[in-house]
Each structure stands twice: as structure tokens, then as C-alpha cells.
Amino acid sequence: MNKLLSYFLILTIAFTCTSCASIIKGTTQTIHVTSEPPGADIEINGVPHGKTPTDVVIKKSIKGEPIVLKKAGYEDKVFTPPVVFDQIAILNLFGLVGWGVDYFTGAIMQYAPTSYSIPLTPLKK
């Protein structure tokens, strides 16, 4: 009986303390970024992430992560991909710890859509 109770307690703790979205989908997401014209430098939090067009791994967050596109002869363009609720987080059910972990890691949200084409504006002469 003690062994059965131990297994039950372990499963209960594991079930109520897991953060489903963080575990299943992770706290980052890959998005595709293109620009018109192509070849713009991509920066996220001041860190270079290549040139358009490319796939970028971006941290999930509640408000979204701002992305800056820079190209000589064009205005810098800042855009924040929209976020939506990631329905996998529902698997947390009644686990408040899981909801908290998913919320604070941003995993409770996801970027949608996952492909962005950003027009750049030429500098005025």
C-alpha cells in the first residue's frame, strides 16, 4: 500500500507541477523574415541574427519580441510579430505552477503567423 501511495504522490506532483507549453513546445520559436528589398540586417535585442531572407529563432514572450531591420539607404524598421495564446498550455489543467512557469517563460504564447515580409522605406534625400 505504501508503494502504491508513493507512486500516486509522485504522479500527482509531476502532473500538477509540469509546465506543458514549456516542455512540449519550448520557450523559443522559429519564424521566417523577409524584407523588400532583401539583404536587411536583422537585430533582436541589439544582437545580429543574419540578413533577410532567413529563419530566426526568437524567444517567446507575452508581448512579443521586437525585431529591427536595418539596411543602408533605408529607414530602420521595427516590428513586433503578433502573439496568440498557445493552446497546448491548457494541458496544465489545474497546475498553478505549470501556468506560472509557462507565463513567465513566455511559452504560454506563440507567434502567429510564422512568416513575415516587411517592406522597407527608402530614406528621403
Side-chain angles (χ1 to χ4, degrees), residues 15-42:
F15 179 72
T16 58
C17 293
T18 58
S19 51
C20 291
S22 298
I23 292 170
I24 294 172
K25 288 191 160 179
T27 58
T28 61
Q29 185 175 345
T30 301
I31 61 171
H32 185 74
V33 181
T34 61
S35 64
E36 185 54 46
D41 294 317
I42 301 170

Side-chain angles (χ1 to χ4, degrees), residues 10-98:
I10 290 169
L11 286 174
T12 300
I13 291 169
F15 179 72
T16 58
C17 293
T18 58
S19 51
C20 291
S22 298
I23 292 170
I24 294 172
K25 288 191 160 179
T27 58
T28 61
Q29 185 175 345
T30 301
I31 61 171
H32 185 74
V33 181
T34 61
S35 64
E36 185 54 46
D41 294 317
I42 301 170
E43 287 185 7
I44 302 171
N45 293 322
V47 177
H49 280 77
K51 291 183 179 284
T52 61
T54 192
D55 290 335
V56 177
V57 176
I58 186 170
K59 184 174 178 354
K60 293 181 181 180
S61 71
I62 300 300
K63 295 180 181 178
E65 195 76 22
I67 297 174
V68 180
L69 299 180
K70 296 180 178 184
K71 185 169 176 76
Y74 292 85
E75 294 178 11
D76 291 355
K77 181 74 170 200
V78 179
F79 78 99
T80 303
V83 293
V84 296
F85 178 73
D86 191 346
Q87 295 177 353
I88 199 76
I90 292 172
L91 295 176
N92 287 321
L93 298 174
F94 302 108
L96 293 179
V97 172

Side-chain angles (χ1 to χ4, degrees), residues 1-11:
M1 184 68 169
N2 277 343
K3 197 172 197 179
L4 183 62
L5 183 59
S6 296
Y7 287 137
F8 177 76
L9 287 174
I10 290 169
L11 286 174

